[in-house]
Amino acid sequence: MSEVFGLKSKLGLASILFLLATLLLKISGLVRDMVIAFYFGGSLESDAFWAAFIIPNMIILFFTTGMKNALVPSYIQAIENKRHEYHLNHVFTGTILISLLISVLGIVLAPYYIPLLYGGLGEEGHDIAIVISMIFFSSIFFIGMNAVLEAFFDAENRFALSMVSQIIVIVSLILGAVFFAETLGVYALGYGYLAGTILSLLFKLVIVSKRNVPKLTWKLDWPEVKDFYIVFFPVALTVAVGQINLAVDNVFAAQFKDGVVTSLNYAKNLVHFPQAIFGVTIGTIIFPLISKANSQNDHQLFKKGIEQGLTTMLFILLPSIAGLMLLMPNIIELLYQRGQFDANATRTTVEIAYYYVGSVLFFSLHNVINKGFYTLKKGHLIMIVGGFAILLNAGLNVLFTNWLGYRGIPLASSVMAVFYVGTCFLIFLRLVDGLKLRMIGKEYAKIILAVAVMAGAVVGVLTLVEDWNNIMQIITVAISGAVVYTGSVFALKVDTIKIFTNRFLKKKGNQTS
């Protein structure tokens, strides 16, 4: 039976479940931020928590996202050779040893790197951040095992399980704050996270127990592990580029008034919400498909997948970003302005959020491009570009903070994203001997025009409902924007809409036949 590649043939039950689970994960992430804002506002404790979280979270993403990008194609290739269980078992055992080593090193080094990076926090802030950092590094031992199992689920198209296990971690952190913030203070967040990583691992082990994989192997095949990690490390380091840049941003933010570090992280998490839902979802869904196409040497199928991923990404993402920007003051006030998070903190967060828009747009498109690099096992090329991007981000932070103060920090990230993603795209074009750029450009022009029409309509609606409460404004604008955008893409004959309409018509035809 011939395989028709594309999102329109793969938006099945697994993909829908993954999208719903991703949405639930990101909503739980917003709830986490709301809980932290309620209990700790824009205080020194909150700043110390986010500062302590950055470096461990870099390592966490190094394992979780990096493992998916490296293990999914290697596991699928191993299936072709009927070596997949052997490969998975040795990667799992090797990862346990590596994650244990990183946990120990992180705990030992925390008292040294925290004062070095975050001098603006002061002695009290350093003491808080060091303890929290140690707690987070303790969780990395469990994160390593979690990462292998999540990649295994993704390779078998069981995408939703990875999201559910991550939700367990966030919910545990939230419960830690709710029940123990008054007695343990901000440390309750760290202990809640640690407990969540253990519970998440137990959840996965129960699921895979019936399969009896992966299994610990005491006679480790070091060449097998070495070959995997030669691919994994460049791939994982490219994932860490975003977190390294965020760490740079937080170092600069710590030099300003109390609360800027907190507002920076809240703004980034909120602005990147559409990317975290749609960008990650689309990238994750196409990854096993293009990996399979590449393993079968079907280069046209591989390129078609990348092209559809790029057009679908902008089709879904751009209207979401535009609507989010227009409603940003309403959303931030609704989500965060309560408890210890006052109106001044809201204004600071809104200002920062606007300047982050470039980073979310370009990094979302990069979610498709980087999957192509990883499939071709060329992740080291992104790593090289990422190294230059980190240096550029630091330089732009110096320049823009002298010009715009703390607002220059997100602006530097947006400008850096243009360079980083643009350079990677040009390199990828050379690797695959070009894509259908005229088709992509034509589709992008139509989508941008449709979003412009939608934005104009939304601005008009906002003037009519400006006296309404926040929730009613957001709901009214969201519905109006969705209706106008849908009508515009049909009127402009945007081809990407066919991915969804054809899928719907196919299901309807199957039901009536």
Side-chain angles (χ1 to χ4, degrees), residues 125-407:
H126 291 160
D127 292 340
I128 297 171
I130 288 169
V131 174
I132 294 175
S133 182
M134 288 179 170
I135 297 171
F136 278 122
F137 268 109
S138 299
S139 70
I140 288 177
F141 172 66
F142 304 100
I143 291 290
M145 290 180 276
N146 275 313
V148 175
L149 294 173
E150 287 179 15
F152 168 64
F153 292 148
D154 279 9
E156 296 200 331
N157 294 327
R158 301 164 75 186
F159 307 118
L161 290 176
S162 296
M163 297 295 104
V164 171
S165 64
Q166 293 176 44
I167 291 170
I168 292 173
V169 178
I170 295 178
V171 170
S172 180
L173 183 149
I174 293 171
L175 293 177
V178 171
F179 290 108
F180 301 106
E182 293 186 3
T183 56
L184 297 178
V186 75
Y187 303 115
L189 302 173
Y191 288 121
Y193 187 91
L194 175 60
T197 60
I198 297 171
L199 292 172
S200 179
L201 177 61
L202 294 175
F203 165 75
K204 295 186 188 72
L205 291 175
V206 169
I207 292 174
V208 300
S209 61
K210 296 180 181 179
R211 294 278 301 274
N212 202 28
V213 290
K215 296 185 294 185
L216 284 174
T217 176
W218 302 111
K219 292 183 179 180
L220 196 60
D221 185 344
W222 286 107
E224 181 85 9
V225 177
K226 177 184 174 183
D227 289 344
F228 172 77
Y229 272 95
I230 286 174
V231 176
F232 170 82
F233 274 110
V235 169
L237 286 173
T238 62
V239 174
V241 167
Q243 285 300 303
I244 293 172
N245 282 316
L246 181 59
V248 171
D249 292 351
N250 276 270
V251 169
F252 280 90
Q255 310 305 315
F256 294 95
K257 63 184 180 179
D258 285 353
V260 171
V261 173
T262 298
S263 291
L264 188 81
N265 283 275
Y266 289 161
K268 179 196 69 68
N269 290 342
L270 183 57
V271 172
H272 283 258
F273 190 80
Q275 176 197 353
I277 297 175
F278 304 118
V280 173
T281 300
I282 293 170
T284 302
I285 290 171
I286 71 167
F287 195 26
L289 306 177
I290 62 175
S291 295
K292 186 174 183 179
N294 185 64
S295 69
Q296 296 175 347
N297 293 318
D298 194 334
H299 301 300
Q300 292 304 313
L301 211 58
F302 171 82
K303 291 166 68 171
K304 183 180 179 182
I306 297 294
E307 291 161 356
Q308 288 189 350
L310 288 171
T311 54
T312 304
M313 186 72 77
L314 194 75
F315 176 82
I316 296 176
L317 197 78
L318 193 58
S320 303
I321 295 173
L324 185 62
M325 290 299 106
L326 289 168
L327 288 168
M328 188 60 67
N330 306 70
I331 294 173
I332 292 178
E333 181 181 335
L334 176 66
L335 293 179
Y336 301 126
Q337 191 173 314
R338 61 181 57 84
Q340 298 299 311
F341 200 89
D342 58 20
N344 288 329
T346 294
R347 283 191 292 272
T348 301
T349 307
V350 170
E351 289 177 339
I352 292 172
Y354 284 134
Y355 286 99
Y356 263 129
V357 64
S359 68
V360 63
L361 176 60
F362 285 95
F363 277 119
S364 297
L365 295 174
H366 191 58
N367 278 331
V368 175
I369 300 169
N370 63 15
K371 294 298 186 280
F373 277 102
Y374 301 148
T375 300
L376 298 173
K377 297 185 177 179
K378 298 291 184 180
H380 64 281
L381 295 176
I382 307 180
M383 181 183 69
I384 295 171
V385 179
F388 286 107
I390 292 168
L391 295 175
L392 176 63
N393 186 48
L396 291 174
N397 265 293
V398 173
L399 178 64
F400 292 161
T401 52
N402 286 331
W403 173 34
L404 294 171
Y406 60 80
R407 302 169 191 83

Side-chain angles (χ1 to χ4, degrees), residues 75-95:
Y75 183 80
I76 290 174
Q77 184 66 50
I79 291 175
E80 298 286 329
N81 301 323
K82 301 187 185 304
R83 297 181 67 255
H84 49 290
E85 289 189 5
Y86 180 88
H87 179 65
L88 182 65
N89 291 340
H90 287 275
V91 169
F92 184 68
T93 305
T95 301

